[in-house]
Amino acid sequence: MMKKDLGVKAFLFPMPVLMIATYNDDDSVNVMNMAWGGVCGDNMVALNISEDHKTAKNIKKRQAFTISVADKDHVVEADYLGIDSGNKVSNKFEKTGLTAIKSTRVDAPIVEEFPVTLECKVAEINHDAGGFRVIGEIVNTMVDEKTLDENGKVDPTKLNAILFDTFQYGYYTIGEKVGQAWNSGKKLK
């Protein structure tokens, strides 16, 4: 096998398509599409975000946000929310036709159409080599009942979650299950 040197590239695949929802100063909904984030502990998430984004400003003021998993049925809306800036387009959420309800646990909106939402409060804000980083504590997770299997657990195939491709900037859905964590590798023990 021959490998080619491509230089410094952030080529990890898959990357989640995270929908970060916050409230603006006037209590209108702001949602941002981002891929530079994920879980960093059992009850913690990390967002690496440019500090000049409307979402970053809202998070600093409200000390709360929600993260939703974008899905195949809403790829157009999810992509649009990453194209327009809340700093320039005050009604960008309304343009999507999506709906939001107020979280009862944190000062942030929940987008009803996305299948999974993590309600988060700010645990820490850092400025370091990675830039502006928000660490959030997950205080609750909400899921659409249609995504649950017969045992009440989330079935990834029912989520139709979209993934971001850092190679060619495409969106993909999850494919087939090819193994079981902490089990498939046992044959090598």
Side-chain angles (χ1 to χ4, degrees):
M1 173 168 46
M2 187 79 159
K3 295 197 183 227
K4 181 177 178 168
D5 186 348
L6 295 179
V8 178
K9 303 284 185 188
F11 280 172
L12 287 179
F13 181 81
M15 294 287 288
V17 177
L18 304 175
M19 307 309 298
I20 313 303
T22 60
Y23 282 121
N24 296 315
D25 288 341
D26 64 0
D27 293 330
S28 61
V29 175
N30 180 69
V31 181
M32 172 188 181
N33 174 331
M34 71 175 287
W36 302 104
V39 291
C40 63
D42 287 343
N43 67 334
M44 305 294 268
V45 293
L47 308 177
N48 292 324
I49 184 173
S50 295
E51 198 166 3
D52 62 344
H53 281 291
K54 183 71 170 167
T55 300
K57 294 171 188 173
N58 291 345
I59 288 172
K60 286 194 280 186
K61 285 182 183 175
R62 301 280 184 136
Q63 294 292 298
F65 58 95
T66 61
I67 300 177
S68 294
V69 174
D71 63 343
K72 180 180 173 182
D73 291 343
H74 300 96
V75 68
V76 170
E77 295 88 345
D79 188 55
Y80 169 73
L81 291 166
I83 293 172
D84 264 346
S85 166
N87 286 322
K88 296 178 182 171
V89 180
S90 61
N91 67 337
K92 82 175 198 176
F93 181 73
E94 288 78 16
K95 288 173 118 180
T96 66
L98 297 173
T99 54
I101 59 171
K102 183 168 180 40
S103 165
T104 60
R105 293 173 180 85
V106 297
D107 189 13
I110 296 168
V111 179
E112 292 191 290
E113 289 81 359
F114 294 137
V116 175
T117 300
L118 282 64
E119 298 168 277
C120 303
K121 66 179 181 179
V122 172
E124 205 175 299
I125 292 179
N126 301 313
H127 294 85
D128 56 28
F132 180 71
R133 178 172 295 123
V134 176
I135 307 297
E137 178 185 345
I138 303 165
V139 298
N140 188 50
T141 302
M142 299 183 72
V143 298
D144 186 327
E145 290 183 27
K146 294 184 293 190
T147 66
L148 301 177
D149 65 15
E150 61 279 350
N151 298 317
K153 293 188 176 188
V154 175
D155 179 344
T157 62
K158 291 181 179 181
L159 282 179
N160 287 316
I162 56 174
L163 310 169
F164 178 64
D165 152 32
T166 57
F167 306 109
Q168 298 179 13
Y169 308 123
Y171 294 114
Y172 294 84
T173 56
I174 294 175
E176 68 180 289
K177 183 175 181 179
V178 296
Q180 183 65 42
W182 297 284
N183 190 26
S184 295
K186 285 183 179 177
K187 33 180 120 156
L188 299 178
K189 283 183 99 68

